[in-house]
Each structure stands twice: as C-alpha cells, then as structure tokens.
Amino acid sequence: MISWTYLNKRSAAAKAIRDYDSMRFIIEHTDEDIRTAYHDLTSLGSPSFDGLPGAKDPQAAEEHVAAGLDEIDTMRERYRQAVEYMKWFQPAWDELDEEERYVLTAFFGSRYGDGAADQVGRHLSVERSTAYRKKDHALDHLATLLYGRL
C-alpha cells in the first residue's frame, strides 16, 4: 500500500505509546459508563403536581432518551476502537524487554514530561545522551514490531 511508504513509523509508534493508557482506561471503564448511562435514561424526572407544566419543551424527555442512546452508541464505538488498538499494540509492546518498556513509558507517557531523559539516566545509571540513544533504539524496535521493517 502506497500510504505506508510515506508514513513516519517512528512518530506513529510514539503516538501509539501515548494512547496506551487512554485505551486501557476505556476498556476498563466502559461497561460501568454504559450502565450509568442506561440508569440515567431510566431516571427521568418525576412529574410535579402543582399544575404547572414540567418543562418548556414537551419533548424534553424524548430528547433526553435519544441523547442518552447516542452517548451509549459513542461509548460502544470508542470501546470497539480501543479493543482493536489493544489487539494490534499489546503483542508488540509485550515483545519489548522491561528496560525498553520503561524507557518508552518515561519518554512518551505523561509521568516525567521534559525530565524523562534525566529520570531514565538516574534509573539506569547512564548519561543523558545514553538515555536518548536507548529511547531511539527502543522506539525503532517498537516501530519495527508494529509496522514491519523501517
């Protein structure tokens, strides 16, 4: 496929690492989010008996249900995409050794930010420049596992 020729595989692998925690969160919490959304659909307001109209919009309850169903559909689609992502990403991630996963998580996860090289250097007892080389090597390894030869 011609599009793969122009894809920056290293950048795509780095983005995939950044998405990992979000995808895992979606998979772990979507069931509960959907249960909550269904509960909200069935928890429509009680009618008031003061003789005044309950809402300015007589279709407010129907719109509430329709919006809730749309939200549930969106959650299900997001969950489907997260599962698809994990089936693609997790085997490659698991193929990395522990040090490579640590280095990539430090550089591309949200934990250390700009101080990642220093943190990796301290953790592995290496210089900052070596930490960057380890990051580049691990990222190349992951990109090769995800996309094939670079």
Side-chain angles (χ1 to χ4, degrees), residues 5 29 39 43 50 72 77 83 99-100 104 114 121 134:
T5 304
H29 294 91
H39 180 267
S43 303
D50 60 5
I72 290 168
E77 176 59 19
V83 168
E99 182 178 289
E100 289 173 317
L104 291 175
D114 292 337
K134 285 185 176 286

Side-chain angles (χ1 to χ4, degrees), residues 10 14 18 20 28 33 36 39 41 51 56 60 62 80 110 116 131-132 141:
R10 291 183 85 233
R18 288 184 193 103
Y20 183 74
E28 291 171 358
D33 291 345
T36 300
H39 180 267
L41 286 179
K56 293 180 183 175
E62 293 160 1
R80 185 198 63 73
S110 58
Y132 281 110
H141 187 198

Side-chain angles (χ1 to χ4, degrees), residues 99-130:
E99 182 178 289
E100 289 173 317
R101 286 192 299 269
Y102 171 78
V103 169
L104 291 175
T105 300
F107 274 95
F108 298 106
S110 58
R111 186 181 304 170
Y112 300 116
D114 292 337
D118 294 327
Q119 180 61 32
V120 168
R122 281 191 297 276
H123 182 80
L124 300 177
S125 300
V126 297
E127 293 182 7
R128 195 177 156 97
S129 60
T130 302

Side-chain angles (χ1 to χ4, degrees), residues 3 8 13 17-18 34 63 67 70 87-88 99 102 104 109 118 132:
S3 63
N8 183 334
I17 296 166
R18 288 184 193 103
I34 288 174
E63 290 173 7
D70 287 343
K87 284 181 183 177
W88 167 73
E99 182 178 289
Y102 171 78
L104 291 175
D118 294 327
Y132 281 110

Side-chain angles (χ1 to χ4, degrees), residues 19-72:
D19 291 342
Y20 183 74
D21 288 335
S22 298
M23 296 300 171
R24 196 171 62 210
F25 182 87
I26 289 168
I27 289 171
E28 291 171 358
H29 294 91
T30 297
D31 286 343
E32 181 60 31
D33 291 345
I34 288 174
R35 276 193 294 277
T36 300
Y38 271 121
H39 180 267
D40 291 347
L41 286 179
T42 60
S43 303
L44 300 176
S46 312
S48 65
F49 297 105
D50 60 5
L52 297 174
K56 293 180 183 175
D57 182 1
Q59 281 80 38
E62 293 160 1
E63 290 173 7
H64 173 76
V65 170
L69 292 173
D70 287 343
E71 180 183 359
I72 290 168

